[in-house]
Amino acid sequence: MDIDIWVPLYPFMPYFLDRTRELAEQFTAAHPEYRIRVRGEDWLTLPQAVHDAARQGAAPTIAQYFYTSTQEALDARKPNGEPLFTPVERAIAGRTEILGEPVVLDDITPAARRYYTFDGEVAAMPPLTSTTLLYANTDLLARAGIDDVPRTWAELEAACRAVVRVADGPTHGISWPNHGWLFQQAAAQQGALLADHDNGRSGRAATMYLDSDAMLAYFHWWRRMHRDGLYLYRGRPTSTQSDWEANFRAFADQRVAFTLTTSVEAERIVGAGRDGGFTVRACRMPYNEQVPYAGNVIGGDALWLADGLDPDTMDGALAFMQYLNAPRAAADRHRDTGFIAVTDGAAQLLDQEGWFKENPHFRTALDQLAANDGSPAARGAVLGDFAEIQRVLTQAMHDVLVSDVDVRDRLARANSQAQRVLDDYDAACRGLRPRGPITVG
């Protein structure tokens, strides 16, 4: 029996395709009645490729969607109009093992499980999970007289002011990329929604809330950090290819004392400190101290299971999903890629092996996600054409940073643009326009 799995090709990580193929070979050696065929697709166009294949009745058995394409996965349809995917939890049907492979769905990190839960069921199984962290050059902090890392926006701002006063120190305190993920994090931390219907979780998102008080607070704080010379900005907006590398280099070259970036970069950033002769500490992302902290959202992707499979093929696909996330496989994937150990079993295994004691920077992301309160805001939004909505935010932030536009007016315009993106996406789902992304000016 053939099982086709389509996985995303990320420009920053060729590992996953090759490693999935290795695990597929190991799985079929134990289950010779199955053949796992692994195909790579560009991560941005994979949803469209699956959609096109589904129209021809040739959709993959398993498809791995990036988290911003979750709504596209939920909306994917067969030629007869029925959902293309079935919830993984429903297909498992309470079993504790499938074809001898222990079921690990219930062991998935709670924040990741909650992100992919709809109508009380886990819809997809995430193998890759990440979050946003603050990284600090503690040597520069010591020179600035700072004893501990900042935990709030106010503390971070104060620390940056101290750092730039250091003789022969950096000219700026912090850098981070102008990327849509950061806006999601800021809203979630403040308990704010990006859209109605509980961020698209109790019903389909229909109205955008990008101009909320929480987002306004974030825009104003970010702009102040920039205008006061504390935040280093390269002066161009970014969309799908954010300037993550330049952000890394600014920190590695000690032109800033702090950087905000993905938890996946933890080892690389700590290693840059070792190579540069300074100490790095991975810290939780600072939050707005003016409101209660709700949590940080995840990044990464998840495996979606085709609906209507015959029982043997379905069991083979489900068993392979469990195999991919078995404790040893998930622990090794974490070591090799920096993505979070996505199951409690993997984290426990790494703990037993002394991994986190030797590499405490890898524990921070787990601790941050464990503080998530499970509210709709902290679970994260599910929106159609989320990538374009993110681009709308990055362009708005760019304008706020480099010009004298009124923040409230610019954010209101961004909200209107995002509303058009969402409306156009929904129109495509209803067959009122061709499927495909809409770009707004």
Side-chain angles (χ1 to χ4, degrees), residues 210 385 387-393 395-396 410 413-425 433 437-441:
L210 299 188
D385 206 353
E388 179 60 18
I389 290 171
Q390 289 192 141
R391 193 196 70 80
V392 167
L393 277 168
Q395 182 61 58
R410 186 61 185 88
R413 181 155 66 92
N415 192 66
S416 296
Q417 292 174 315
Q419 186 66 54
R420 177 191 161 196
V421 172
L422 188 65
D423 292 343
D424 284 342
Y425 172 83
R433 73 162 181 83
I438 288 290
T439 300
V440 297

Side-chain angles (χ1 to χ4, degrees), residues 48-257:
Q48 185 66 44
V50 172
H51 170 77
D52 293 341
R55 292 179 62 189
Q56 305 300 319
T61 318
I62 302 169
Q64 186 173 329
Y65 281 59
F66 193 60
Y67 83 102
T68 53
S69 297
T70 296
Q71 187 64 59
E72 282 88 333
L74 293 168
D75 291 333
R77 290 295 183 267
K78 303 176 189 176
N80 63 6
E82 295 178 353
L84 180 60
F85 300 115
T86 190
V88 172
E89 187 170 7
R90 185 185 306 172
I92 290 172
R95 289 176 286 178
T96 58
E97 62 91 25
I98 301 172
L99 303 182
E101 303 294 342
V103 172
V104 296
L105 183 67
D106 289 344
D107 205 33
I108 297 290
T109 301
R113 271 179 58 87
R114 287 194 292 258
Y115 185 84
Y116 294 104
T117 296
F118 302 93
D119 297 326
E121 293 181 303
V122 181
M125 190 163 188
L128 301 178
T129 303
S130 61
T131 190
T132 305
L133 298 179
L134 175 73
Y135 298 90
N137 179 330
T138 56
D139 292 357
L140 281 175
L141 298 193
R143 289 175 58 193
I146 301 169
D147 297 327
D148 202 359
V149 294
R151 294 173 175 81
T152 66
W153 291 358
E155 290 176 2
L156 178 60
E157 187 172 344
C160 288
R161 293 187 187 281
V163 165
V164 298
R165 289 196 297 265
V166 172
D168 299 321
T171 57
H172 295 79
I174 189 168
S175 68
W176 66 79
N178 180 12
H179 186 267
W181 200 29
L182 278 298
F183 301 95
Q184 295 175 50
Q185 299 287 7
Q189 286 183 324
Q190 297 177 80
L193 302 175
L194 298 183
D196 65 349
H197 297 141
D198 295 320
N199 259 350
R201 295 185 167 278
S202 61
R204 189 181 193 86
T207 304
M208 296 300 306
Y209 293 162
L210 299 188
D211 54 353
S212 65
D213 289 344
M215 196 65 75
L216 277 168
Y218 186 53
F219 267 62
H220 278 295
W221 176 73
W222 189 340
R223 177 189 239 184
R224 185 172 69 249
M225 292 282 285
H226 177 55
R227 287 189 167 183
D228 289 354
L230 306 178
Y231 164 71
L232 176 63
Y233 185 49
R234 293 179 59 81
R236 61 177 181 267
T238 55
S239 54
T240 56
Q241 296 297 323
S242 187
D243 203 359
W244 300 95
E245 184 62 25
N247 188 62
F248 166 79
R249 287 262 45 104
F251 185 79
D253 295 342
Q254 300 192 72
R255 286 183 283 125
V256 293

